[in-house]
Amino acid sequence: RLVQVELDRVVSDFRGNDLINELHKIFQQTAFAGNIIIVIDNIHEYLSQKENMNVDIANTLVQYLSLPTFQIVGITTSKDFHLNLERKASVMKYFDKIIVNELSQEETMKTLLNFLDKEEKNRILATYQALDELIKLSDPYITDMPMPEKADDMFEEVLIYWSKTSPNYFVTKEDVDKVFSE
């Protein structure tokens, strides 16, 4: 089973020894279950030295990484990996680096079409031209996330705009252009 641990919530809810105790509880339950893979998004934020964090989460995590029943996936960007994680030898010896490249525009189109196929029963219709325009504009103008995430996020923005303003029964290229221009 995959379980996403939202460490930002844990860190905001607990401080000092309470944070350490909560992390131990989470990690112990995971290791004891033996069939759970923890997923931590932006893991670099929790394993780098932060001034606002009074505790080093890396030291707590290292205590569990050698256990065969403790499995974890940490998600980060290449830049943050090199800046924050690569130097943490105590942690990195337990991880394998897997590079997942950004999807191409063609692959992103397939992803959006697959999403739309599932959403058609909710009466969401989009033209192929609208999706093509969305992908073409997302690539150069949205730079803080990879494909298909940036196209998905912008598609949601277009759907919100469309539901509030468009008299049409489907999302058009013009709707996409209006959202990007705004």
Side-chain angles (χ1 to χ4, degrees), residues 120-134:
E120 281 182 347
K121 50 188 149 263
N122 295 331
R123 304 282 187 218
I124 295 175
L125 301 174
T127 65
Y128 184 85
Q129 293 80 8
L131 295 177
D132 190 47
E133 184 76 359
L134 179 83

Side-chain angles (χ1 to χ4, degrees), residues 7-113:
L7 275 184
D8 54 339
R9 292 185 72 188
V10 176
V11 169
S12 68
D13 290 347
F14 300 95
R15 294 282 180 224
N17 285 337
D18 291 337
L19 175 59
I20 296 273
N21 291 336
E22 189 65 22
L23 290 173
H24 278 297
K25 187 179 354 175
I26 292 168
F27 296 157
Q28 284 172 356
Q29 289 175 355
T30 301
F32 182 72
N35 65 345
I36 296 175
I37 300 172
I38 292 179
V39 178
I40 300 176
D41 200 8
N42 297 318
I43 195 166
H44 60 275
E45 293 180 6
Y46 310 104
L47 298 181
S48 61
Q49 296 294 336
K50 285 188 153 189
E51 292 176 15
N52 62 347
M53 233 189 281
N54 297 329
V55 90
D56 187 3
I57 292 176
N59 289 336
T60 306
L61 184 61
V62 165
Q63 297 174 32
Y64 295 91
L65 288 174
S66 64
L67 300 175
T69 58
F70 186 78
Q71 301 174 76
I72 185 168
V73 172
I75 302 171
T76 188
T77 63
S78 293
K79 178 183 172 186
D80 289 316
F81 174 79
H82 291 299
L83 291 175
N84 300 308
L85 298 179
E86 203 167 38
R87 297 182 199 128
K88 288 233 177 240
S90 63
V91 173
M92 290 312 302
K93 70 181 180 181
Y94 296 105
F95 281 91
D96 290 323
K97 182 171 128 179
I98 300 171
I99 297 173
V100 179
N101 293 322
E102 182 176 14
L103 294 183
S104 68
Q105 289 188 3
E106 295 80 22
E107 292 166 324
T108 299
M109 177 62 84
K110 289 178 185 176
T111 302
L112 287 177
L113 289 172

